[in-house]
Structures are given as C-alpha cells and as structure tokens.
C-alpha cells in the first residue's frame, strides 16, 4: 500500500545505468565515473533497483511504483534500504528526482556533489517544516533554483506556486497551513514537494522549539551562508556550475585593459629605489619572515614619501606589459610585476589614503604602477577621515595611521576569464599582496599591519565608482616604526 503523494514523486535515470544482477542478492550499476555494487539485498529491493534502469534518459518511475515493485515479490521488502540505495545513485548524479502533476514537472532535485545525501521520509507524520538558513534561492536563466549549500542539492522549480510555498516556510508550518493559502493544487502534490525539498535539505523538520537540526549543530551554527556559498562555488565538486577559466564572456564583452585609465589631474612622481643596491644590501627573506609582525603604533613623525615610493616600487610596479593577441579570443593584456596574480590579470588597484606623508599632504591618491606616480583623487576631507578612521577602528589602533594602502579590485579583470572562482581569486591576490607588503615593510624598517575589513562606502563616495565595478578588498596600514 502506498500513499497517493508517492505517485507524484518520480525518479529518472540521467543516463542508462547498466544494471546487472550477478547473484540473487546483489545488483551492480555501471555508472559513468564509477561502478556501484549493492550487496545483501532482499528479493524485493533487488527487483525494485533493477526496475530503475529503464535504459532511457527520459523514462520516469514513481516512488509509488518502486515501492510496489519491491513489495510485489516480497511483501516484507526493506523499503528503508531501497531508499538508501536510491540515495547512493542520486548522490553520484545518476538519478534526478522530481514531482509530477498532470504530466508537468513541478520541481526537480539534482545532486551537486557525491557528498550529498537523500533522506527521503516515506512515513506520514504531523511534521512542521522550515526553510533552511543555508538555502539560496535565485534565478538561473529562465528557471528558479533553490540550492542547499550543506546538503549539496539543487531544486529546479517550474511552478510559481512552489516558490510561494518556500517563502511561506520562513516560519515553521505544517502542510495544512500552506494548502489553501499559497498552494492551490492537490494536497498530495504539495506533500510530494515538501518531502522532496526535505530530502534535498531545502527545508527540514523543526523540533518542539521551532529549531532545525542545523541550528543545533555547532559547525553550522558558526557559519555564514554567504561564506559557504563562496566556498562551494569556487571549488570543483560542490556546485553544479563550472569552475575555472571558462572565458564565458570572451565573445560578449572585451577584457578590461591591464592598467586602469589614469585619474585626471597632475601626476606626482615617486622616488625610485636602486634595485641593484637592494639586491646587495636588503634583508634576507628568512630574516624578514622571522621578524615580521603586525605593528599598530607609529612614530610621531610623518611617513617619508621616499619610503612610500620604495614600498610601492618593490611590491606593485609594472615591469612590463604583454599586449593582447587580437587573433586569440581568449587573449587579454597582462602585466608582469614583482608579485604574482591569478592569470597575471592583476585586478588590484592601489590607492594611498595619506594622513601624514611628507610632500603629499592629506589626501587620497591613486598609484600608477607603470609610471610610478601618484594622482590625487579629489574628495572631501570628511571622506578621507572615514577611510583612515575605519582602518584605525579595524586594527584597534590608538591613533590614526600615517597612511593606508587601499587595495581595490577591478572585478571584471578576473570574472571575464574565471567562472565561479573569480572573487576567491581576488581574495587570494590580496593575501599575496599582504605577504609581500609585510616582507617589504619589515626589510625597510617600517611598521605595517594588514586589515581584515574596510569602509567600502567611504571609498565609493570618494571615487564615485559603483562597488560592483571597483571596490576595496584589502587595506594595509604603514608608518614609521615607534621606538
């Protein structure tokens, strides 16, 4: 005997599964990337698993039919074991599970990762469901996707009513709370949708306190959904979307040039150090690494512009440019510099928020790494004070820093080439820059300190640039050492 909702819940092989039964209690599936053998099956579960392999990527079989296929030859078939083995195939991407209603797909669940589970509950109970904090709902082309970041599942929604159900579950609710309010279809279809969403981790049952299992798990309670989303989508295997250098925008928009268009205004030449002298007299890297520390106090005197120029020259200057090859659609202009960058794209622009720097005065300046010059970015004194004050607050420093290097990403430099991992690559570039700045300031006898956050609004106000075009991703305070 099956419940009517189980006939709305259907399974489709994504490709022929190559099922074979080599013994009375074993079924083997020859999948695309692996072979899965299921042993010690009762005769009913074995028959149902063999029924899964229709040999066609368009053939559906309902959960109800699957249960009947198991109980036909053996009324005591282990249905929980059947669901478990179906979940193994689902996690490997061999199966998709959907809800059908009157020949139409209401929603379809696919696995994002082999780590994904499939906890389908076939027994009826008075359950209150709630939307997971780690469910991300967004539009993908013409579809609506609800993605579970912790269950590694993606629900593709084809019904506007189901979208309304998901939003209604921001608070705990039972099936009867939803039917008739935002769900106009049959209750059995909604029940199938709720079970499928729960199997994919989009929603989950709550306890008597209205809490989800994820609320009780410390490892999840301490995570922010946007951090998990960034990680999942920047690593292969945790997302259904491509990750890497796909050049998906190559035929749509041209790549940004290696150098940012210069700011208008007078260029201020910076002193250049002698690289040959540095090669002879500079502190060894091993010594600089041992002596490196984050310094949040500075001497009373201003930072010398000579030291500022040397630091920028050591770390950020352009040695030479490599032109784009017009015959190669994947080619883009790159720059060679002392520090590495993802794809040699060097998305990071350097701005100097100068509080006390000799010969500069108080102001915000953009660094031209090819000409080794500064150009003032005209802004109000209050906005500059916000940038410097944010740095002081972030570091819990007792005084305003003499200068802050603001590292702002031109995001399209990386997203034109990389898919999924573009922002992750930006943050890695920041880490590389931080390390280079620490070693250079230590070798030069300066006080340096990397910051964990900064004021993006103050930067946008100062420059007039939209945060999604160019925005700070790192800040580094510098000044003379306090003795």
């Amino acid at each position: 005997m099956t419940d009517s909702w189980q006939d709305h819940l259907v399974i489709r092989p994504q490709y022929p599964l190559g099922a074979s039964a080599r013994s009375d209690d074993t079924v083997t599936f020859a999948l695309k990337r692996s072979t899965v053998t299921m042993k010690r099956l009762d005769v009913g579960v074995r028959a149902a698993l063999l029924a899964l392999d229709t040999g066609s990527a368009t053939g559906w079989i309902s959960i109800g039919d699957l249960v009947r296929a198991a109980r036909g030859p053996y009324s005591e078939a282990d249905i929980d074991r059947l669901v478990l083995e179906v979940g193994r195939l689902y996690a490997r991407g061999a199966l998709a599970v959907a809800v059908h209603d009157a020949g139409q797909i209401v929603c379809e669940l696919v696995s994002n990762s082999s780590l994904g589970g499939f906890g389908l509950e076939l027994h009826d109970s008075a359950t209150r469901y709630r939307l997971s904090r780690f469910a991300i709902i967004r539009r993908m082309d013409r579809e609506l996707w609800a993605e579970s970041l912790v269950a590694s599942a993606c629900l593709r929604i084809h019904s506007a009513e189901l979208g309304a159900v998901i939003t209604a579950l921001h608070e705990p609710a039972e099936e009867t709370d939803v039917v008739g309010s935002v769900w106009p279809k049959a209750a059995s279809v909604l029940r199938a949708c709720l079970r499928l969403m729960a199997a994919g981790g989009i929603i989950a049952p709550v306890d008597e306190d209205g809490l989800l299992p994820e609320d009780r798990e410390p490892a999840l309670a301490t995570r922010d959904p946007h951090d998990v989303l960034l990680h999942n989508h920047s690593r292969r295997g945790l997302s259904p979307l491509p990750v890497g250098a796909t050049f998906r925008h190559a035929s749509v928009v041209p790549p940004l040039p290696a150098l940012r268009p210069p700011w208008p205004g007078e260029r201020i030449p910076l002193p250049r150090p002698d690289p040959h002298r540095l090669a002879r007299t500079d502190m060894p890297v091993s010594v600089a690494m041992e002596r490196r520390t984050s310094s949040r106090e500075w001497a009373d005197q201003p930072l010398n512009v000579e030291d500022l120029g040397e630091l920028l020259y050591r770390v950020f200057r352009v040695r030479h440019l490599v032109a784009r090859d017009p015959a190669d659609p994947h080619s883009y202009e790159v720059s060679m510099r002392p520090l590495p960058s993802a794809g040699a794209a060097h998305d990071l622009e350097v701005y100097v928020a100068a509080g006390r720097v000799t010969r500069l005065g108080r102001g915000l300046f953009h660094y031209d790494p090819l000409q080794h010059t500064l150009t003032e970015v005209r802004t109000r004194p209050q906005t500059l004070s916000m940038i410097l004050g944010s740095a002081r607050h972030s570091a819990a420093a007792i005084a305003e820093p003499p200068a802050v290097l603001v590292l702002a990403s031109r995001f399209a430099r990386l997203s034109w080439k990389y898919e999924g991992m573009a922002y992750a690559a930006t943050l890695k570039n920041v880490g590389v820059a931080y390390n280079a700045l620490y070693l250079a300031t230590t070798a030069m006898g300066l006080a340096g300190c990397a910051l964990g956050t900064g004021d993006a609004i103050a930067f946008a106000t100062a420059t007039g640039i939209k945060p999604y075009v160019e925005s700070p991703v790192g800040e580094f305070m510098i000044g003379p050492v306090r003795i």
Side-chain angles (χ1 to χ4, degrees):
M1 187 78 181
T2 60
D3 293 304
S4 60
W5 69 266
Q6 295 181 12
D7 290 318
H8 290 288
L9 198 59
V10 296
I11 298 174
R12 179 182 68 186
Q14 300 286 61
Y15 49 82
L17 304 180
S20 61
R22 299 180 181 178
S23 66
D24 292 341
D25 66 348
T26 300
V27 174
T28 297
F29 292 94
L31 307 182
K32 284 185 175 180
R33 295 183 177 87
S34 63
T35 298
V36 178
T37 299
M38 303 165 182
K39 300 179 180 180
R40 293 183 290 278
L41 306 171
D42 64 49
V43 63
V45 171
R46 176 177 173 273
L49 289 173
L50 289 172
L52 275 176
D53 190 10
T54 63
S56 168
T58 59
W60 296 91
I61 182 170
S62 73
I63 291 290
D65 286 339
L66 207 60
V67 171
R68 287 186 282 269
R71 289 178 173 164
Y74 183 45
S75 61
E76 300 300 320
D78 187 351
I79 302 303
D80 290 337
R81 174 70 187 279
L82 173 61
V83 171
L84 176 67
E85 300 300 352
V86 167
R88 291 177 64 190
L89 297 174
Y90 157 84
R92 286 166 171 78
L95 302 177
V97 189
V99 175
H100 266 202
D101 179 37
Q104 301 294 319
I105 298 177
V106 179
C107 58
E108 183 177 6
L109 188 74
V110 295
S111 174
N112 289 351
S113 165
S114 60
L115 300 177
F118 187 70
L120 180 63
E121 177 58 62
L122 295 183
H123 308 288
D124 275 334
S125 60
T127 302
R128 290 193 304 158
Y129 292 104
R130 190 176 193 179
L131 183 66
S132 167
R133 192 166 61 93
F134 296 93
I136 304 296
I137 303 172
R138 57 201 172 101
R139 179 183 65 84
M140 284 295 294
D141 296 326
R142 302 182 68 178
E143 289 185 329
L144 184 66
W145 282 18
E147 182 180 357
S148 170
L149 301 178
V150 296
S152 299
C154 179
L155 185 76
R156 297 171 180 172
I157 300 169
H158 302 277
S159 166
E161 293 87 355
L162 186 57
V165 169
I166 291 177
T167 57
L169 293 176
H170 70 283
E171 290 289 348
E174 294 185 10
E175 169 199 327
T176 53
D177 299 329
V178 180
V179 172
S181 56
V182 296
W183 184 259
K185 300 181 181 180
S188 58
V189 178
L190 175 62
R191 184 175 298 170
C193 291
L194 293 175
R195 297 302 176 93
L196 185 60
M197 289 192 292
I202 310 300
I203 62 174
V206 298
D207 59 21
E208 61 276 7
D209 297 323
L211 297 178
L212 299 170
E214 67 191 37
D215 299 323
R216 303 285 191 186
E217 185 177 340
L220 290 177
T222 57
R223 296 298 302 277
D224 288 325
H226 58 272
D227 288 339
V228 180
L229 177 66
L230 174 62
H231 177 73
N232 286 6
H233 282 257
S234 62
R235 310 296 299 181
R236 293 191 181 95
L238 296 176
S239 167
L241 302 176
V243 176
T246 61
F247 293 93
R248 56 178 171 159
H249 299 298
S251 60
V252 181
V253 295
L256 292 182
L259 300 179
R260 190 194 189 287
W263 282 89
E266 178 185 357
R267 290 176 176 266
I268 305 170
L270 289 172
R272 294 172 179 259
D274 181 357
H276 300 293
R277 178 185 61 81
L278 293 178
R280 294 192 310 269
T281 64
D282 212 13
M283 180 184 294
V285 172
S286 59
V287 176
M289 292 183 69
E290 288 298 317
R291 294 183 181 177
R292 184 222 60 82
T293 186
S294 294
S295 301
R296 296 170 175 84
E297 296 184 10
W298 307 274
D300 294 334
Q301 68 267 26
L303 174 68
N304 287 325
V305 74
E306 290 80 6
D307 288 335
L308 175 62
E310 179 177 333
L311 180 64
L312 295 175
Y313 186 87
R314 281 174 176 256
V315 178
F316 295 109
R317 81 180 187 278
V318 171
R319 290 171 175 155
H320 64 273
L321 295 173
V322 179
R324 179 187 184 190
D325 180 0
D328 181 0
H330 292 167
S331 176
Y332 54 98
E333 185 183 31
V334 301
S335 61
M336 298 293 107
R337 311 191 189 195
L339 75 168
S341 173
H346 288 285
D347 61 304
L348 300 181
E349 294 292 323
V350 181
Y351 293 81
V352 180
R356 293 180 292 116
V357 182
T358 62
R359 292 166 43 197
L360 281 186
R362 193 173 175 87
L364 180 65
F365 302 85
H366 175 257
Y367 176 60
D368 184 330
L370 182 63
Q371 302 298 327
H372 192 57
T373 60
L374 294 177
T375 303
E376 186 172 6
V377 179
R378 299 290 183 179
T379 187
R380 296 185 303 166
Q382 299 93 321
T383 305
L384 176 66
S385 294
M386 289 173 62
I387 296 174
L388 292 168
S390 173
R392 174 186 176 182
H393 176 76
S394 178
I398 61 175
E400 183 184 270
V404 175
L405 301 185
V406 179
L407 309 182
S409 175
R410 288 190 295 150
F411 298 112
R413 276 291 288 174
L414 293 176
S415 59
W416 182 84
K417 175 181 180 179
Y418 295 110
E419 186 172 357
M421 57 172 282
Y423 190 65
T426 289
L427 299 184
K428 291 171 184 175
N429 288 344
V430 173
V432 169
Y434 276 180
N435 185 61
L437 286 167
Y438 267 124
L439 293 177
T441 52
T442 302
M444 294 172 60
L446 297 174
C449 181
L451 303 179
T453 188
D455 194 330
I457 295 300
F459 180 86
T461 302
T463 61
I465 304 173
K466 297 292 186 183
Y468 55 81
V469 176
E470 181 181 328
S471 190
V473 288
E475 287 83 12
F476 195 92
M477 302 187 301
I478 53 174
V481 171
R482 186 181 187 90
I483 300 175

